[in-house]
Every structure is written in structure tokens, then in C-alpha cells.
């Protein structure tokens, strides 16, 4: 079996002719489609990108002549011919499609993106088991092509061939049809190419000689690339990162009583002001103005992937009476009806921000109720193949060859193989090049039958005014499943079954979505280190040419699953760890012993060092020490050394650390119940302070402070009968009024501590003090740690902007007018320098600060977060905190934060072999020089991302090495060194680089780089630079690694086929493209949160996991296959679970089966489900137990407790839920996945030309 190597897509360069403003699509009866982007803009496109007319035609505003805006569906629909062999090329041809019919879609035709044999398309390097093979030089090499250049409409530059015969033109006409039958097997504009196509004859002729040295990382065929068919623009990928709505109330300014959703907004609330700046993706070559909105607005919820998962009980068209707007006959000329008053119209409760490049719309009709949830038929009918798509792998196409029977799709329900036969018989003209609708044959299409005409205010393109012209029958949409799917199952099958052994240099690990076991055999586990590339360029010129970032995401104290062994602790006694004399690298498997074992040569700097006598050991016949496998430092990738006193501050053994709890007792904190909850919880939580040996009592001492405008210190010495309070009112010069009795051992002072925690809520129950301080609070904790001469952590529970007179006093600077301007960056910067200085002092003492915020209004997270961020602490935010709904989440966060493994007073350094060096660092830490990362506290959730650059040439033989050493104080007070080693390959061929990248890690790096850049650059520049770098990466691959092909093809490396979809998520995130009701505090919070996420958390943050619960098998421990994040994947008869790392949403369709509702909620009636519940009832049935197990397992995988929110279809909360359907177009102007894919293609072509 050959490893599928690249993915190609053909996009017809035509403007969008879909209904741009969210008109419902005929294929989804019973469901009006939402108008994601707002209302209608005459002659304009509200999406980020103007219609995509192809490289030659530049941008064209408005629909082209000859086409009714509704005459055909999104121009960038696509279909896939999947190939199992590099020698059989199958172009994906994307043409303008007619609307889907309302009949049942064919079931198995659509090949989902990952639907290749094992190893054919995986998101990552080819499986290690595949035998190396030489590049196919003599074979034609156009794997899975997607032809972006088919025949073109007469109004646009023609990139395709004219009809070669009358038969060709006849075929084009013949395969159009109208009616409510199922989509045709290969609708107009797309036919699986015949085997003898010309495209297949292009031999593989890479720019560089195809001499890819076999490496341990992958077979050496040309790098995996995947041709991506440009999906229909309507679906959109990249809703703001899941975390953007960490707390529903963050999107509402209505106060604590309605934290869940923004208030309804009338359509007239959109301002008429023009955008302040150009759209985010504008480039020098693109004319400014609304036409820059790329990709044309498509009906946002129209599927870009046409095989949604549907419930098992529904017929193909849903019985629920469809609102009038869902019928095709009313699509074109009718604006959407007003939603019920209870439903907010756009997702955000204000106008789209003008900085996003999405023109504000005037009089936009709000979106109809339960917009667009309707999906195709249920799973009982087999996997619906795009209710608007064509069966691709059926009747007479080359796809009927072996290996083309579609396996169960990732994200798709299994179904009968022959289900595609439910469609009509094969149509003429299906073989060979697909006939193109509106192609270069001069046809002019009028409005489709049943369409009343263009939307108001638009010229009636292509038909006599007032009467629909006799038009060719509507074409079927192509299968949106053809574009790369972020739901990847093949990696789980290929790499999840056997342990991942780390002994092979440069071996790419399983994806973060795959569950796997690691065996350490000389390189650090991917749980500790993940790299953007495992085969890096030998020289800087090649690195600059490719633009692939060279970086590692390091999580030094990452927790391991129970079946993996934690790092061994090695004690070399008083002499300490063995190190290289020159570069000071620690002993590791890369050191080469010479001269019979008396010396070793450093793998990093090649210096030769004497082996100390006590460490000497003889070598065996292979040159290895005979005790190699007895010593972790010689055979493992990760291990720890006991540090000697030389590694301690001031050459003194450190004291055990301390935890100090500082509780805001101002009016807001007492009123919302926070003070009582914290005090009650601490009484039990203090028994669970971190310890190394669970059988031994924790060494950590504790102290307590309360504060409002003044600070109250408590003496809880064990000998006291009652705690004593001391008040410090001089907050300008903070000091600790007592030493003895402030920091105590919990077991010794338990009675006094419990008495104090009982009294605090009573003492301040009637407080009227509304003001509070913040700077002096941290100063107080810092001074207490200094006095005790120990490191430690401050837990600060704070509720409001510190406006009281004191150091660090802040003012309210929330100014939405700055959003979208060059001054927006100031909103992310601290407003005073006081906290920067304070943070530096905290780091010097090893004082880490964790901040729990309970705000009801602006608190300036950007400034308050400076100290936690610089000291490697965490920020938790509970906007509009209500004890009834938020207590569970807060207490779980607090418990985990107190109990988790943590190191104090840490120092991290990354060493590399000659040729590369660490140049940049991202995360929550402080750096006083260019090499040492100082972490006042380092817990098991924190990551540090390191970027590397070349400073010399690297060798393919030796590869590149990196060693991360972290010196820290354990919670027992022991000084230790944790070492992680990683070796990667080096390559002189770009193809090898592109074959061994990891997209998830690249996106993690890009997000952190962009989120840091907003501190100093206008957000538009940050977005543009991200798009430009991504385009350069893909253009370099196209130019240097892909076989020659039509310029209209979009060709993606197999490892990077998901780069566009994930990058679009980053670009659409609330930090880089906020909706109108995303607060500045939320954006600052998310910016700081993402800076420390590991790869698995950033993955689910930007692309949430969506599970169809109706497919849960209660008898199995396995989860149902996830579905893609698009509204069209949701079925009215289903129940879905979405997790994004901060929240869990349970979406319930209006037609969900009564039995399912009874099993989950204890009631069979949809109307009786309580949308305010935050936990599911514990019912005595197998489904309820299994569902609660799934939710708990999701929570256990994340560093923060995910609050459960029940979202009923058509309910106001549904707008928040839809914010996370990231493949669809977003209300803040974010592009759909399809639009962005087409935009990337345009950028790539500009670079190549």
C-alpha cells in the first residue's frame, strides 16, 4: 500500500453565487439557515473576503453577469476522487453548483477527507511501519488532485479548456436536473475523472533531485501532500477559539441575572459607519474596499461538509413544519423573517467591529429561529452524504476501483456500502473531465426554477426582469466532505494500538487526538516535548525558504497516565550530576564514551570531558557502557537528578514552601457568596496540600489574609484558643505585622484555622466597603515569604477593579472605540508599571501568584494579570459569579490548583547542538537574560514554547539535539534537576521537511506568537503576517515539492492539510477578531490563557470536539466518532456534546427521540428540559451512567473544570453554542473554512506568480 502523499483540489475561479446573506437552502427543509454575518449589504459581501474569481480575474464585486445570485450555490463546492496510489491522479474539481434537492441524499457516495486506506491520508507523517520507498520518478505523480482551474465562465478568465466536442457540451447539459430526487452520483461540474485523464500523465519532477535519504521518521517518498478541494464558502472554519466564551456571562452585560446570553438586538442596531480599516486579509495586490471581503458570503450554514451526522429516527426531510423561509421558492427574493423576540439576532449583541474588515450592515435581518440546524437524513438511512452533495464513489467512476469503497467516514455514521444507489442512475457525461456548469461554453444561466429572482436591490443578473428564464435544471452541490476533515480517525487506528517507543530519532509522535502509550527509549515523551518539525532543514536558507517555524512546546512537569513510569530520580551524591565541561549539558544518551570509557564526547558541543573515577565503567564491543541500561541518564529521554547545595540559592538548602490565601472581603465578594464558599472549602482542602509521598503529611505551611481597603492578617498559632486579627491600614508601605503564628503547619493548628474560617464570613457579612486594593495584597504575601525565607504560592480571590488609594491603583480604561484602531494594542498592555516591578520582585523570591477573579464589570485583567503571568501563575475568571451555577466549577478549579504537582523557584535552560540555538520563548515566566527562563512556580499544566534558529549548518548524519534542564524546588523542599532530551533529523530536501511536520504544534506556536504580538502591533498587521507566513509555507511546498500541475490546483502537504482550517480558527478567535460583545477583559484573559496551553489543549481550544450522543454505545467504552464543527452536522433529532477546554455544551435538537431525552434528563418532553441545569441527573439507566462517565473523562483530561451548559435548539443560548461551530462563518466577520481555504489559494498563487 502506498502512503497517500499529497492532496490536491481544483477550484473553479468563479464568484460566489450562493445566497450571500444566510437565506435558507432548499435541501434543508424545515430549517431556515442562519444569516451568520448579519444583514444584507447592497451589492456588497459581508464576509471577510470578496468573491473569489480566480487569480486572473482578481476580485469581482457582486454576482457575475449571467447568473442570478441564487441561481447556483457556492462556487467553491468540491468533490473528491480519493486515490490510493500515487500513480492514479484524481483531480478534485470545484465548480459552481446548483442548489441541493430536498430528497434524501445518497448515503455512501461522499468520500470524507480521511477516507483512505490506513496510512493514506493521515494528519502527520506516514506511519513508521510503512516501508521506505524511493520517490516515484517514473510514475506519474498527481495524487488526489483538486483542479482549481476547470472550464471557466465566460465572464471570468478562462483557465480550463473549452469544450472539446459537441458531446462534451451535451454532457454538461445532460447532467443537470431539477427536482426533489437525491443528488446525482456525480453532479454537474464534477465527475470522477476517467483513468486515462491527461492530468495523470504528468510525471513527478521535483525541483530538487528526488533523493530523499531514508530516515527513521518516514518512508522517503515525496512528502505527503493532500490535494484539497475548495469547499463551498458557506461553511466556515475558525469560530473564535472555544475559550472565547469561557463563561457565558462574559458575553452579556445584563448582569448576574442573565449571564447566559447577550440581549436581543434589533437589526437596526448595526451602525452604518464604514469599516475603519481594511479587511484582515487585504494585501497590497488587492484593491481596497468591500470587494476585498473574500470568498463572498455564502449561506453560512450551508454545509461545507455534506455528510452531517444525524439522529437515527428522522426521515430525510424533517417533519417539523418548516418555517416559511426554508422553502426553496422563497429563497431568493425574501429577507429572512424576524426571529422571536426572545432570540438575539446576531451572536454578538452589538455591531460587528469595523476592524474586522466585515462591513457593518444596515438593517440586517436577524436570523430566524433554530436557524440552520436541519441536517440531512438520519443515520438509520446510512451516512447521509451531504444532503446537498453528490455521491462520489458510485456508478461507473474510477472511484469504483479497489480501495475506493468508502470506509466508515471519520465523523460519519456507518452505513450500507451500496447506499449510494439510492440516488438517480448515472448521468451522461460523467466520465472524463467533468462538464462545468456556467463553464467556458458560453451558457448564461437565469434564475433557477422556483426562485423568484435576486434579492432586493440587486440587478436581475442573467434573466429578463420579472420572469424567470427557462434555465438549465439545478445542479447538485458537490460533496463538502472532500476538503480535509479535522476529525481524524486513521491516526488512532495506525498509532493508537501499539506503544509509541521514543528510541528512533526524528520519529513523529501520534496526534494529540490519539490515545497512546509511550515507552521512553532515549528521547523525551511527546507528553513533555512536541516539535513543529521532526526533520529540520540543514541550513538557514532552506529554513527561510520554507518559513516553517522551528519550535518545541515543552511541558516539563507534565502528568503521565497511570500506565507510564514517571522520570527516575538519579542521585550522584555530593559531586552532583555529570556535565560537559564546555557547554554544561547534563549526561544523556547523546554523550559518546571514548578511550575505553575514561572520557566522553559531548553530543552538543563535541568537547571531550574526563569521566570522574566514581562514574567510570567499561565499554562493550559496540562502544556502549556495560551499565548503559541500568542508568536512566544513559538510556532514557527524561529523568531527574538530585541537585547539590551548589544548585541552591545562596548555597543554602531551601525551606519547604508556603501557601498564603488572600481573600477579598469587600461588598461584592461577600454578596455573591464567594467569601463563604472559599472559607468552607478551605477547611477540607487543606488536607490535600501537595506532597510527594501520599502517606506522608505535606510540608507546606499556610497563612491567611483578608482585605478590602485595608489588610487583615491572622495569627493562627496552635497554642491560641482563638485566632487573632491584626489590621494594616497603611497600605502605601506594606509590612507583615507578625512573623510567629502567620505561617503554620495545618495539622498542628487545625482547630484554630477552622475557627478562623468559620468566623471570616460572619465578620464581614454586613460590610458596606465597596472599594478594594490589589497591589498591597501581593506585596503582603511577598513580604511574608521573604520573612520566612521560603518560596511559595499566593492564592488571591479578588472581585473588583482596585480603585482605592494605594500602590497599583487603577482606573477604568475600557474603551471599545479603540478596538480596530492602531491604539488597540494599548488595551492589552498594563496601564501602570507598578505591577511589572512587583512581578520581578516576586520572581526573585520564588513567589508564584494564582489569581481567582469574580468580576461583575471591567477589572482590567491585562494589568491585574501581569504578576500571575510573570510568576508562572494561573488566572481563573468567573464573570457574574453565582453560587448556584458557578460554585461547582470554581471549587473544582480551586481543588486542582491547590493539589496539583508544582515546583518552586525554578530556572529552565534549553541547550542545543551546534548549528541551532534557542532564540525566543513564549509562556508565563520572567527572563532577566537571553537564556534563562525564570519560573517562580512551575506546575504540571504550564508549557514553555521555544523557537530555534540556525547559526550554522547542520549535518544529516548527526541530526540536531536539544536538552531542556529545569532546576526547581519540589513541594517537599528538595532541590532537583529535571532533564528532557530530544533528537530530531536534519534534511537537505524540502520534501523531507514537509513530510515530518506536526500541524497541531505549528498552530500552537502561531497562536502564541500572534497573541504576544498584539501587545506591540496593530491586530490587522498580526493577522496579515499569519496569513502571509502560512501562504509562504504552502507556496514553497507547491513550488519545490509538488509535481507539476495546473496553476488552478490547490495542493497541500499531507502533514499540513489542516493548516488552513486551524489557522482560520486562530484568526477568528476573540483575541484577534472580537465580536461586539466580547469584553476587553475576556480578550486579555484568553490571551494570557493561551500563552501556556500545551498542544492537546490548544487543539481542542481552537477546534472543539463535537460528539453525537445518539450514537453512544452503552456496551462499549469507546466514544462515538466525532463530527465536524459545522451547524449542518447537527440533526434536529440528535443530542450533541461539545467540549472546548473551558466549557461543555449539551445541545438538544427539538426532535430528539423521547427515549433519549428520558434516559438523559428523566423527561421525554423537550419543553420540560431545564436549560439552566449545570449537572445531569444521576438516573438509573445505562445511557445516563455512560454519558456522565464521558463528561467526567473529558473533564479529567483538561486543566480547568468545564462547566456543563444545556443548550436547547432555538433557545437564546444557542447563539453561544454556535460560536464554537468553527467551520461556519462567524458573526464577528470570521471567514468560513471554505472561504479561507480559497483565500489561501489566492495568496499562494500570488506568491507563485
Amino acid at each position: 500500500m502506498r502512503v497517500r502523499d499529497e492532496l490536491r483540489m481544483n477550484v473553479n475561479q468563479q464568484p460566489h453565487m450562493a445566497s450571500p446573506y444566510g437565506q435558507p437552502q432548499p435541501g434543508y427543509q424545515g430549517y431556515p439557515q442562519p444569516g451568520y454575518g448579519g444583514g444584507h449589504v447592497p451589492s456588497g459581501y459581508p464576509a471577510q473576503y470578496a468573491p473569489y474569481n480566480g487569480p486572473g480575474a482578481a476580485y469581482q464585486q457582486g454576482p457575475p453577469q449571467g447568473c442570478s445570485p441564487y441561481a447556483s450555490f457556492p462556487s467553491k463546492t468540491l468533490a473528491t476522487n480519493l486515490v490510493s496510489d500515487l500513480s492514479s491522479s484524481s483531480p478534485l474539481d470545484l465548480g459552481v453548483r446548483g442548489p441541493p434537492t430536498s430528497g434524501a441524499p445518497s448515503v455512501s457516495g461522499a468520500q470524507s477527507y480521511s477516507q483512505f486506506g490506513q496510512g493514506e491520508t493521515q494528519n502527520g507523517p506516514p506511519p513508521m511501519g510503512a516501508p521506505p520507498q524511493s520517490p516515484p520518478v517514473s510514475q506519474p505523480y498527481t495524487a488526489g488532485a483538486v483542479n482549481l482551474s476547470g472550464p471557466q465562465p465566460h465572464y471570468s478568465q478562462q483557465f480550463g479548456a473549452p469544450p472539446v466536442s459537441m458531446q462534451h457540451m451535451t454532457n454538461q447539459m445532460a447532467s443537470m436536473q431539477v427536482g426533489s430526487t437525491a443528488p446525482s452520483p456525480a453532479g454537474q461540474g464534477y465527475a470522477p475523472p476517467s483513468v486515462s485523464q491527461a492530468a495523470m500523465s504528468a510525471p513527478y519532477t521535483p525541483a530538487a533531485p528526488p533523493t530523499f535519504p531514508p530516515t527513521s521518521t518516514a518512508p522517503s517518498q515525496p512528502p505527503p501532500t493532500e490535494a484539497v478541494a475548495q469547499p463551498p464558502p458557506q461553511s466556515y472554519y475558525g469560530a473564535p477559539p472555544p475559550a472565547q466564551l469561557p463563561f457565558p456571562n462574559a458575553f452579556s452585560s445584563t448582569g448576574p441575572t442573565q449571564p447566559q446570553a447577550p440581549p436581543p438586538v434589533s437589526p437596526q442596531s448595526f451602525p452604518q459607519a464604514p469599516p475603519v480599516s481594511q479587511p484582515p486579509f487585504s494585501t497590497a495586490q488587492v484593491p481596497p474596499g468591500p470587494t476585498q471581503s473574500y470568498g463572498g458570503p455564502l449561506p453560512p450554514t450551508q454545509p461545507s461538509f455534506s455528510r452531517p451526522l444525524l439522529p437515527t429516527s428522522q426521515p430525510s426531510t424533517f417533519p417539523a413544519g418548516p418555517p416559511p423561509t426554508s422553502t426553496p421558492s422563497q429563497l431568493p427574493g425574501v429577507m429572512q423573517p424576524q426571529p422571536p423576540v426572545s432570540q438575539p439576532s446576531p451572536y454578538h449583541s452589538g455591531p460587528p467591529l469595523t476592524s474586522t474588515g466585515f462591513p457593518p450592515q444596515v438593517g440586517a435581518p436577524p436570523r430566524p429561529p433554530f436557524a440552520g440546524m436541519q441536517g440531512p437524513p438520519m443515520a438509520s438511512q446510512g451516512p447521509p452524504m451531504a444532503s446537498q452533495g453528490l455521491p462520489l464513489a458510485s456508478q461507473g467512476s474510477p472511484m469504483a476501483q479497489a480501495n475506493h469503497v468508502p470506509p466508515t467516514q471519520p465523523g460519519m455514521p456507518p452505513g450500507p456500502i451500496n447506499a449510494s444507489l439510492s440516488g438517480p442512475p448515472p448521468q451522461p457525461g460523467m466520465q472524463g473531465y467533468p462538464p462545468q456548469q456556467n463553464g467556458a461554453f458560453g451558457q448564461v444561466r437565469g434564475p433557477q426554477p422556483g426562485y423568484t429572482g435576486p434579492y432586493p436591490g440587486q440587478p436581475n443578473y442573467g434573466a429578463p426582469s420579472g420572469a424567470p428564464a427557462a434555465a438549465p435544471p439545478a445542479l447538485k452541490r458537490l460533496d463538502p466532505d472532500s476538503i480535509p476533515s479535522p476529525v481524524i480517525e486513521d491516526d488512532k487506528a495506525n498509532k493508537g494500538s501499539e506503544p509509541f517507543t521514543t528510541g528512533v530519532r526524528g520519529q513523529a509522535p501520534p496526534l494529540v487526538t490519539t490515545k497512546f502509550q509511550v515507552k521512553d527509549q532515549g528521547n523525551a515523551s511527546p507528553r513533555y516535548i512536541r516539535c513543529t518539525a521532526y526533520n529540520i532543514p540543514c541550513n538557514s536558507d532552506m529554513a527561510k525558504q520554507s518559513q516553517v517555524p522551528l519550535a518545541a512546546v515543552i511541558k516539563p512537569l507534565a502528568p503521565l497516565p497511570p500506565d507510564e513510569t514517571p522520570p527516575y530520580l538519579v542521585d550522584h551524591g555530593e559531586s552532583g550530576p555529570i556535565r560537559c565541561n564546555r557547554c554544561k549539558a547534563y549526561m544523556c544518551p547523546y554523550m559518546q564514551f571514548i578511550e575505553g570509557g575514561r572520557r566522553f564526547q559531548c553530543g552538543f558541543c563535541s568537547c571531550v570531558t574526563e569521566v570522574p573515577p566514581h562514574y567510570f565503567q567499561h565499554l562493550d564491543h559496540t562502544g556502549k557502557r556495560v551499565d548503559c541500561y541500568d542508568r536512566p541518564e544513559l538510556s532514557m529521554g527524561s529523568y531527574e537528578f538530585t541537585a547539590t547545595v551548589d544548585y541552591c540559592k545562596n548555597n543554602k538548602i531551601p525551606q519547604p514552601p508556603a501557601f498564603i490565601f488572600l481573600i477579598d472581603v469587600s461588598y461584592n465578594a461577600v454578596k455573591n457568596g464567594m467569601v463563604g464558599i472559599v472559607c468552607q472549602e478551605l477547611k477540607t482542602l487543606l488536607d490535600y496540600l501537595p506532597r510527594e509521598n501520599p502517606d506522608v503529611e505535606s510540608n507546606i505551611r499556610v497563612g491567611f489574609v483578608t482585605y478590602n481597603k485595608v489588610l487583615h492578617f491572622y495569627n493562627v498559632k496552635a497554642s491560641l484558643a482563638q485566632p487573632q486579627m491584626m489590621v494594616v491600614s497603611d497600605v502605601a508601605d506594606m509590612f507583615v505585622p507578625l512573623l510567629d503564628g502567620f505561617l503554620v503547619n495545618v495539622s498542628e493548628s487545625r482547630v484554630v484555622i477552622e475557627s478562623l474560617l468559620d468566623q471570616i464570613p460572619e465578620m464581614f457579612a454586613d460590610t458596606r466597603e465597596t472599594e478594594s486594593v490589589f497591589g498591597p495584597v501581593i506585596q503582603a504575601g511577598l513580604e511574608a515569604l521573604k520573612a520566612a525565607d521560603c518560596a511559595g504560592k499566593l492564592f488571591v480571590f479578588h472581585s473588583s477593579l482596585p480603585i482605592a488609594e494605594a500602590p497599583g491603583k487603577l482606573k477604568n480604561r475600557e474603551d471599545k472605540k479603540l478596538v480596530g484602531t492602531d491604539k488597540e494594542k494599548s488595551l492589552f498592555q498594563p496601564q501602570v508599571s507598578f505591577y511589572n516591578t512587583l512581578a520581578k520582585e516576586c520572581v526573585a523570591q520564588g513567589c508564584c501568584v494564582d489569581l481567582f477573579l469574580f468580576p461583575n464589570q471591567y477589572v482590567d485583567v491585562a494589568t491585574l494579570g501581569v504578576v500571575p503571568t510573570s510568576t508562572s501563575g494561573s488566572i481563573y475568571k468567573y464573570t457574574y459569579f453565582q453560587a448556584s451555577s458557578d460554585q461547582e466549577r470554581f471549587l473544582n478549579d480551586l481543588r486542582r490548583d491547590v493539589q496539583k504537582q508544582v515546583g518552586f523557584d525554578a530556572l529552565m535552560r534549553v541547550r542545543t547542538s551546534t548549528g541551532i540555538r534557542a532564540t525566543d520563548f513564549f509562556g508565563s515566566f520572567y527572563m532577566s537574560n537571553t537564556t534563562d527562563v525564570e519560573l517562580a512556580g512551575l506546575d504540571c499544566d504550564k508549557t514553555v514554547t521555544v523557537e530555534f534558529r540556525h547559526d550554522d549548518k547542520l549535518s544529516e548524519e548527526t541530526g540536531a539535539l536539544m536538552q531542556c534542564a529545569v532546576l526547581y524546588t519540589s513541594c517537599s523542599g528538595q532541590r532537583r534537576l529535571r532533564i528532557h532530551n530530544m533528537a530530531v533529523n536534519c534534511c537537505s530536501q524540502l520534501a523531507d521537511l514537509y513530510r515530518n511536520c506536526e500541524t497541531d504544534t505549528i498552530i500552537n506556536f502561531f497562536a502564541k506568537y500572534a497573541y504576544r504580538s498584539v501587545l506591540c502591533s496593530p491586530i490587522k498587521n498580526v493577522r496579515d503576517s499569519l496569513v502571509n507566513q502560512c501562504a509562504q509555507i504552502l507556496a514553497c511546498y507547491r513550488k519545490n515539492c509538488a509535481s507539476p500541475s495546473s496553476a488552478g490546483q490547490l495542493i497541500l502537504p499531507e502533514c499540513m492539510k489542516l493548516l488552513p482550517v486551524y489557522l482560520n480558527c486562530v484568526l477568528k478567535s476573540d483575541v484577534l477578531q472580537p465580536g461586539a460583545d466580547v469584553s476587553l477583559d475576556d480578550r486579555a484573559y484568553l490571551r494570557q490563557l493561551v500563552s501556556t496551553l500545551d498542544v492537546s489543549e490548544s487543539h481542542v481550544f481552537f477546534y472543539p470536539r463535537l460528539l453525537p450522543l445518539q450514537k453512544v454505545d452503552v456496551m462499549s467504552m469507546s466514544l462515538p466518532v466525532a463530527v465536524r464543527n459545522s451547524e449542518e452536522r447537527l440533526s434536529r433529532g440528535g443530542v450533541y456534546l461539545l467540549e472546548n477546554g473551558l466549557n461543555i455544551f449539551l445541545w438538544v435538537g427539538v426532535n430528539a427521540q423521547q427515549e433519549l431525552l428520558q434516559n438523559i434528563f428523566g423527561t421525554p418532553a423537550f419543553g420540560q428540559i431545564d436549560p439552566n441545569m449545570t449537572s445531569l441527573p444521576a438516573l438509573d439507566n445505562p445511557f445516563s451512567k455512560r454519558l456522565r462517565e464521558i463528561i467526567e473523562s473529558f473533564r479529567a483530561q483538561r486543566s480547568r473544570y468545564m462547566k456543563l451548559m444545556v443548550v436547547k435548539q432555538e433557545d437564546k443560548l444557542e447563539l453561544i453554542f454556535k460560536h464554537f461551530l468553527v467551520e461556519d462563518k462567524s458573526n464577528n466577520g470570521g471567514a468560513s473554512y471554505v472561504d479561507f481555504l480559497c483565500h489561501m489559494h489566492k495568496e499562494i498563487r500570488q506568491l507563485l506568480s
Side-chain angles (χ1 to χ4, degrees), residues 175-189:
S175 57
M176 302 177 182
Q177 72 174 34
V178 175
S180 58
T181 59
S184 73
Q188 170 84 4

Side-chain angles (χ1 to χ4, degrees), residues 731-732 772-777 779 798 800-811 831-836 838 859-860 863-864:
V731 291
S772 64
V773 296
F774 184 73
V777 178
Q779 286 177 323
H798 189 77
S800 57
L801 192 70
I803 54 173
E805 281 301 329
K809 173 185 176 181
L810 301 178
K811 62 178 188 291
Q831 59 172 288
V832 294
S833 62
F834 170 83
Y835 292 100
N836 299 82
L838 181 56
V859 291
D860 199 352
T863 303
L864 298 187

Side-chain angles (χ1 to χ4, degrees), residues 1031-1032 1034-1040 1047 1049 1241-1249:
Q1032 287 189 10
L1034 299 177
C1036 175
Y1037 175 82
R1038 170 64 181 267
K1039 179 179 179 182
N1040 298 287
Q1049 284 192 327
H1241 180 236
K1242 171 187 151 293
E1243 294 282 325
I1244 292 166
R1245 294 195 59 161
Q1246 285 183 342
L1247 289 171
L1248 292 175
S1249 61

Side-chain angles (χ1 to χ4, degrees), residues 124-177:
M128 294 310 299
Q133 41 187 63
S134 55
V137 175
S138 60
Q139 295 183 45
Y141 176 71
T142 31
V146 187
N147 197 345
L148 296 182
S149 68
Q152 297 299 311
H154 72 281
Y155 49 79
S156 172
Q157 282 202 354
Q158 176 175 322
F159 291 105
V164 294
S165 65
M166 179 57 70
Q167 178 63 33
H168 197 164
M169 187 182 293
T170 307
N171 288 349
Q172 175 191 351
M173 304 291 289
S175 57
M176 302 177 182
Q177 72 174 34

Side-chain angles (χ1 to χ4, degrees), residues 508-525:
L511 301 178
V512 292
T513 49
T514 298
K515 187 175 181 182
F516 59 96
Q517 182 187 15
V518 179
K519 290 195 174 173
D520 186 342
Q521 293 184 355
N523 281 307
S525 162

